[in-house]
Amino acid sequence: MSDSKGQKYKSLVIRNVTVVNGRGTPAQGPVDIAIEGDQITGVVGVSPGAASRPGYERPEGDMEIDATGMYALPGLVDMHVHVPFRETQCGPKGPEYAYKLFLAHGVTTIRTCGFGTDEKLIEHRRMGMANKMVAPRIVVMGTTGEITTADEGREAVHRLDKLGTDGIKMIPRSNITAEILAAMGEEGRDLDMTAGIAVHIP
């Protein structure tokens, strides 16, 4: 495998890899995976049978990785993450180190459910999307604070939408009724908060 640390290529080919597609079907391979920018543009079989087909052509790239004997699978999604912000929790680099650990273990999207850290997480989401921080795709579930009525729930959803969160994090208390949750869910859908509501079940 070539040493490509710190370099970015317009096109990449991962050669001779076995693919686990996440659909419950058997692994497929070996194949070549062609990538342009940040998009997979082709998955080409490299078995003798595939190579004998008319017009068969293996993809080329600015960078090629020989993945013989290795596996590729879709990026994993962690649906409930509390990102550590204290040095005592994750060392002096804090969340940046945690983000790299996620990526090193194949987790490419995290749904964060922090407490009082919404603004920081939104900033990290922005930096990650701008390639200014090495991080998975960050989905921010905003925390609501104390809610006792459906109207308060709707107001909280509007506040989070204005802040820029992707969804809502709720910890049900005895005063949180099905009516309140339904009102918040409806408000979130109307505002196109696509990540929905994450709820701790008591």
Side-chain angles (χ1 to χ4, degrees):
M1 186 178 297
S2 300
D3 182 7
S4 60
K5 183 177 180 180
Q7 299 182 49
K8 188 174 182 179
Y9 299 90
K10 291 183 178 179
S11 60
L12 168 70
V13 176
I14 304 174
R15 295 210 181 278
N16 306 312
V17 69
T18 300
V19 173
V20 179
N21 63 22
R23 298 175 182 172
T25 56
Q28 173 191 358
V31 300
D32 289 347
I33 301 176
I35 302 168
E36 296 282 344
D38 60 357
Q39 298 289 321
I40 294 175
T41 57
V43 178
V44 179
V46 297
S47 67
S52 65
R53 295 171 186 164
Y56 175 82
E57 187 175 340
R58 295 183 73 172
E60 301 291 335
D62 296 332
M63 174 65 182
E64 297 184 2
I65 298 174
D66 182 5
T68 301
M70 301 179 185
Y71 291 83
L73 67 158
L76 303 175
V77 180
D78 193 325
M79 293 294 288
H80 193 117
V81 171
H82 292 280
V83 177
F85 278 91
R86 299 175 186 168
E87 290 188 9
T88 54
Q89 293 174 309
C90 212
K93 294 189 177 180
E96 291 187 55
Y97 180 65
Y99 295 148
K100 290 177 181 178
L101 284 179
F102 279 117
L103 292 172
H105 289 83
V107 178
T108 57
T109 299
I110 58 174
R111 192 171 75 154
T112 61
C113 301
F115 296 99
T117 56
D118 297 342
E119 291 87 353
K120 290 181 180 178
L121 290 168
I122 289 169
E123 175 63 11
H124 287 183
R125 181 187 63 190
R126 184 195 66 78
M127 292 175 67
M129 292 177 67
N131 291 320
K132 294 182 178 179
M133 174 185 284
V134 177
R137 177 174 177 261
I138 299 173
V139 178
V140 181
M141 307 299 287
T143 49
T144 60
E146 190 67 23
I147 293 172
T148 57
T149 68
D151 285 341
E152 288 178 357
R154 293 188 184 95
E155 290 174 6
V157 172
H158 274 274
R159 176 181 61 80
L160 292 175
D161 178 64
K162 186 175 181 180
L163 183 63
T165 69
D166 302 293
I168 307 149
K169 162 70 179 295
M170 285 291 297
I171 301 180
R173 311 294 186 190
S174 59
N175 57 303
I176 301 295
T177 64
E179 178 189 1
I180 292 174
L181 287 175
M184 294 176 68
E186 181 179 346
E187 205 69 27
R189 284 191 295 272
D190 289 345
L191 294 170
D192 199 27
M193 298 179 77
T194 54
I197 301 179
V199 181
H200 277 282
I201 303 300

